[in-house]
Amino acid sequence: MGDLGFSVERGAVARVVIDRVPKRNALTRAMWEALPGLLAELAADPEVKVLLVTGAGPTFSAGADIGELVSGADPADPMAELRAHNLRAQAALREFPKPTVAVIRGHCIGGGLEIAVNCDFRFAASGSTYGVTPARIGVVYPPAAIKVLLDLVGPATSKYLLFSGELLTAEEAYAKGLVDRVFAEDALDAGAAEFAAMLISRSQLTIRSAKETVNALLAGKDADSPAFRRYRETIADGELVEGIAAFQEKRAPKFPWRG
């Protein structure tokens, strides 16, 4: 996938790296188009437990490749194809069934921030910056993309970012709930790795169910029926029995569920 602007590392902690360093990891139409298939492959890999999403070099992503914004075939809607691929990619990341962590250095702007906010968590290096810049170039942001931001940081911060196009520091983004943890630059990777290892030690069935429930509630869908099915699954697969036994025996659990 490197020729499409991503590199991938597989394993229990998988990594998707936005890899267009000469272009500050700007995201092309082809990259948005490729991302859902790449994520589907990782979702289907039983070895993968946690996904880290990051940028190569000093920048997470400076946003969309500006040169492609109005390059579509339809002069009345030259962004139609790009917008469709962008929204499918965001949905694929949001609906990825396993925990996702954006690990952010440098600029996280526009399309880069779209990737970050569709992850479950955002771990930031001190010195990183965040912004949504459609007002600077006259782009009308689609409601689906705004809703993700709105759910995360609320209306006031969403409006500030969208109206002004101004950038937030990592510390400002943390104060507004846009990022979850801020680390010194040289401690970011170790912090993300430690968090991923902790998630791997937990019940993957509990995590899967919790993510499904949160996504369903945010989308206004039925959450009770899927959660009850997962509850029955934790009984049938011995997940709950093992968790309780490990707690009582003061040992690390060996959860049996493999999804």
Side-chain angles (χ1 to χ4, degrees):
M1 299 296 295
D3 59 332
L4 290 178
F6 295 108
S7 57
V8 179
E9 299 173 16
R10 297 179 181 271
V13 181
R15 287 164 52 92
V16 169
V17 182
I18 308 167
D19 196 356
R20 290 186 77 213
V21 175
K23 296 292 185 179
R24 299 171 67 210
N25 296 334
L27 294 146
T28 66
R29 180 192 60 77
M31 291 170 70
W32 291 118
E33 184 178 7
L35 190 55
L38 173 58
L39 292 172
E41 290 179 13
L42 293 170
D45 185 345
E47 186 181 3
V48 173
K49 301 294 187 295
V50 178
L51 176 63
L52 305 183
V53 182
T54 192
T59 294
F60 184 80
S61 173
D65 191 319
I66 296 295
E68 292 190 345
L69 287 184
V70 292
S71 62
D74 182 357
D77 188 1
M79 293 181 63
E81 187 177 10
L82 175 62
R83 182 171 59 250
H85 289 312
N86 167 274
L87 291 176
R88 279 195 290 269
Q90 289 190 60
L93 186 53
R94 187 165 61 250
E95 295 163 8
F96 190 80
K98 304 167 188 183
T100 55
V101 185
V103 182
I104 304 164
R105 289 183 172 82
H107 289 306
C108 181
I109 311 296
L113 189 62
E114 288 176 342
I115 285 184
V117 298
N118 281 285
C119 290
D120 297 316
F121 307 99
R122 284 145 298 283
F123 283 14
S126 182
S128 54
T129 55
Y130 303 81
V132 189
T133 55
R136 294 190 179 196
I137 57 174
V139 170
V140 172
Y141 237 47
I146 292 178
K147 185 179 185 303
V148 176
L149 191 63
L150 189 64
D151 287 338
L152 185 63
V153 298
T157 298
S158 296
K159 289 176 182 178
Y160 176 80
L161 291 167
L162 290 161
F163 293 5
S164 73
E166 294 295 301
L167 304 185
L168 302 178
T169 66
E171 290 72 22
E172 289 169 334
Y174 175 75
K176 293 180 180 296
L178 188 60
V179 302
D180 301 289
R181 298 278 302 277
V182 178
F183 296 85
E185 170 77 25
D186 59 0
L188 177 63
D189 289 332
E194 182 180 355
F195 183 70
M198 180 272 291
L199 292 178
I200 290 172
S201 75
R202 306 306 196 221
S203 166
Q204 301 305 299
L205 175 53
T206 297
I207 290 172
R208 182 74 57 88
S209 179
K211 182 163 184 175
E212 291 169 351
T213 297
V214 170
N215 284 349
L217 291 170
L218 288 173
K221 297 179 179 178
D222 171 44
D224 289 326
S225 298
F228 186 71
R229 287 195 293 271
R230 289 299 192 190
Y231 163 73
R232 296 293 295 270
E233 197 172 356
T234 199
I235 303 297
D237 285 15
E239 193 85 346
L240 181 58
V241 169
E242 168 58 17
I244 292 172
F247 180 82
Q248 292 174 333
E249 296 165 14
K250 296 181 171 55
R251 60 172 174 81
K254 297 179 180 178
F255 290 114
W257 190 82
R258 294 294 177 265

